[in-house]
Amino acid sequence: MPKRIIPLTDIKVQKAKPKEKPFSLFDGGGLYLLITPSGGKLWRFKYRFDNKEKKLAFGSYPEIRLLDARRKRDDARRLLANNVDPDAVRKAQKQANIEEAETFEVIAREWQDKFKSKWLEGYSEKIMRRLELNVFPWMGSRPIKDIKAPELLSVLRRIESRGALELAHRTRNVCGQIFRYAVATGRSERNPAEDLKGALSPVKTTHRAAIIEPKDVGKLLRSIDSYQGSFTVQCALKFAPLVFVRPGELRHAEWSEINLENAEWNIPGSKMKMKEPHLVPLSKQAIAILTELKDFTGSSRYVFPSERTFDRPMSNNTILAALRNLGYTKEEMTPHGFRAMARTILDEVLQVRPDFIEHQLAHAVRDPNGRAYNRTSHLEERRKMMQQWADYLDELKQGAKVLPFRKNK
């Protein structure tokens, strides 16, 4: 049976005398007063979060009285009841330079701190920078529970009025995630971003430039073979059309995710747009590229590391710059264009089943019963498709007779 803690009194706190070593007076519920040898009286709160013991400083006595310390303890315990780490809230308040307030900025910084480990490198800073420039100046200091849809809309309209329509939509989505987090942790009752669907002008869809004519694909592949830049960049250029993943997924590929023996690349969900793990079957041609590259970058965490340091992945502009050096303008080809290239030709020339293609593109594909396919769905068929695709690219590069588009409409 745990020992019963007798709550402190103002007189007991006031008369507590220092000793040779620090000692504690406990009030209950995790709150205690630490008495230092120099006579300091410091309020501390001890708690557990994610199976770890943690401590929080509440200030010193007499600046913080017993009742004030208990109030701080009760506030912290309410956060814990909603699965929120009080220390994360304290850090967010410090970053926002705001004392104990559940404002939009404090909750936003807390949300960022909680989820940034699951995001791609640099994404966390990009999101926070957008909020600092476009949202915090107008509603960052507002209590998040008081923010309604019209107030959020006025902030988004400011962005929209600058002609940054896509940014306005992305900001609404980010704010929506912050409000959902606030609702889930008991700091708000509603997500006003949900009420703004359709309130902003729609974004005009612009398709990224891609080469989809087979004869032009062959010319591109021959240009890549003649690339005069670094060997690592050339390997990335050769690898990209074979796997047709998103550019960020390619750049952040790690050797630990590559299984050369099984001819597979297992991408964790944290790196994927849909946050689901993705499996890429590797063709013989892809394996050959990786095997040769491993002698050069195998000591790095990344398959395609930066030219400056092996500690970081290749820059997001490296492949783009390489395509420009090969003479391809942004209107002709982009790093993302390898996906459109594969999707179009696999479907309309090689006549591969569309669901196999969509699944390999890591799009949201569902079976006839409405269930999401998992990462190994149709794996054998996709292995055959990836090898067929690699062999076809070799034929195009060698100048073989081009098959016409033959999809029946």
Side-chain angles (χ1 to χ4, degrees):
M1 185 174 180
K3 182 179 178 181
R4 182 174 179 271
I5 297 175
I6 300 176
L8 296 175
T9 63
D10 285 319
I11 293 177
K12 189 173 182 179
V13 172
Q14 183 180 352
K15 292 186 175 182
K17 302 298 182 184
K19 298 179 181 180
E20 291 184 5
K21 295 183 179 181
F23 69 98
S24 301
L25 298 176
F26 293 89
D27 186 60
L31 178 66
Y32 65 95
L33 186 70
L34 177 65
I35 314 296
T36 68
S38 62
K41 298 179 180 181
L42 310 175
W43 293 109
R44 297 290 186 265
F45 174 63
K46 183 167 64 174
Y47 65 100
R48 294 189 70 82
F49 190 82
D50 282 345
N51 295 319
K52 296 179 182 178
E53 184 174 288
K54 306 185 75 170
K55 294 178 182 178
L56 204 61
F58 285 161
S60 60
Y61 179 87
E63 287 79 10
I64 303 297
R65 311 291 295 187
L66 176 58
L67 286 178
D68 296 329
R70 285 173 174 168
R71 178 180 59 78
K72 290 174 178 288
R73 173 200 61 194
D74 293 342
D75 290 342
R77 287 172 66 86
R78 273 192 289 272
L79 292 172
L80 288 168
N82 285 292
N83 197 33
V84 175
D85 185 356
D87 186 47
V89 175
R90 177 68 61 84
K91 289 177 181 177
Q93 290 169 344
K94 186 176 181 180
Q95 283 183 295
N97 295 316
I98 296 173
E99 292 295 328
E100 296 190 44
E102 292 179 343
T103 64
F104 181 85
E105 182 175 350
V106 166
I107 303 301
R109 292 187 182 277
E110 179 189 324
W111 165 80
Q112 178 212 27
D113 186 69
K114 185 176 181 65
F115 294 104
K116 65 183 180 183
S117 62
K118 301 178 181 179
W119 295 336
L120 292 178
E121 183 180 348
Y123 179 73
S124 176
E125 289 74 18
K126 181 195 292 186
I127 290 298
M128 190 50 58
R129 184 62 179 155
R130 286 177 181 171
L131 292 171
E132 289 171 346
L133 291 173
N134 301 294
V135 180
F136 292 166
W138 290 277
M139 68 181 203
S141 60
R142 294 271 293 131
I144 196 165
K145 63 181 178 62
D146 293 341
I147 298 174
K148 301 296 188 292
E151 184 174 354
L152 175 58
L153 181 60
S154 69
V155 172
L156 298 176
R157 290 284 192 218
R158 286 178 178 270
I159 304 172
E160 187 181 39
S161 67
R162 305 199 309 261
L165 187 54
E166 185 174 355
L167 177 60
H169 281 269
R170 290 183 177 181
T171 302
R172 185 191 75 84
N173 291 338
V174 169
C175 290
Q177 294 178 54
I178 295 167
F179 280 112
R180 280 196 296 274
Y181 175 72
V183 172
T185 55
R187 269 80 66 81
S188 185
E189 295 182 356
R190 184 170 178 78
N191 174 9
E194 290 292 325
D195 299 325
L196 298 182
K197 288 182 178 178
L200 295 172
S201 301
V203 177
K204 293 181 179 179
T205 303
T206 56
H207 297 286
R208 295 179 176 91
I211 294 173
I212 61 172
E213 288 293 336
K215 61 181 179 60
D216 294 330
V217 172
K219 181 181 177 182
L220 170 62
L221 297 176
R222 290 190 291 273
S223 295
I224 290 173
D225 277 355
S226 64
Y227 178 70
Q228 297 299 307
S230 79
F231 178 69
T232 302
V233 175
Q234 186 185 48
C235 286
L237 283 168
K238 290 180 176 180
F239 194 65
L242 293 172
V243 292
F244 48 88
V245 296
R246 297 177 180 90
E249 295 156 10
L250 180 78
R251 293 190 303 106
H252 287 87
E254 299 182 28
W255 284 114
S256 61
E257 301 162 1
I258 304 291
N259 188 323
L260 294 175
E261 184 177 346
N262 292 341
E264 292 178 353
W265 174 17
N266 286 277
I267 310 177
S270 59
K271 293 185 177 182
M272 298 299 299
K273 181 178 181 180
M274 306 303 292
K275 300 304 177 186
E276 293 291 337
H278 184 51
L279 191 152
V280 182
L282 300 173
S283 63
K284 295 175 183 177
Q285 291 87 335
I287 291 294
I289 293 170
L290 294 174
T291 301
E292 189 175 6
L293 182 62
K294 198 171 178 69
D295 292 335
F296 289 84
T297 69
S299 60
S300 168
R301 169 185 172 186
Y302 298 101
V303 178
F304 306 107
S306 165
E307 292 293 297
R308 296 181 179 179
T309 172
F310 269 21
D311 296 331
R312 293 199 304 270
M314 182 179 285
S315 157
N316 60 354
N317 288 322
T318 302
I319 300 297
L320 183 65
L323 288 170
R324 299 295 169 266
N325 288 337
L326 290 174
Y328 290 94
T329 67
K330 63 181 180 180
E331 290 78 24
E332 293 175 310
M333 186 62 183
T334 64
H336 206 279
F338 290 113
R339 289 169 63 78
M341 173 195 296
R343 183 180 189 180
T344 302
I345 297 177
L346 280 168
D347 180 20
E348 300 189 18
V349 176
L350 300 182
Q351 299 285 282
V352 176
R353 265 179 50 177
D355 56 328
F356 294 170
I357 303 169
E358 292 299 303
H359 191 71
Q360 196 54 58
L361 287 164
H363 288 164
V365 185
R366 298 186 177 276
D367 66 16
N369 295 319
R371 297 169 300 193
Y373 285 116
N374 61 43
R375 57 192 287 278
T376 59
S377 295
H378 302 305
L379 181 56
E380 287 309 309
E381 292 87 347
R382 289 191 287 124
R383 285 191 194 280
K384 294 176 183 177
M385 177 187 76
M386 297 298 274
Q387 189 58 55
Q388 179 187 8
W389 172 242
D391 292 341
Y392 180 68
L393 292 181
D394 277 351
E395 292 174 4
L396 293 180
K397 185 167 61 174
Q398 293 162 11
K401 184 178 180 180
V402 174
L403 295 173
F405 285 86
R406 56 186 183 187
K407 180 158 184 169
N408 295 321
K409 297 291 184 182

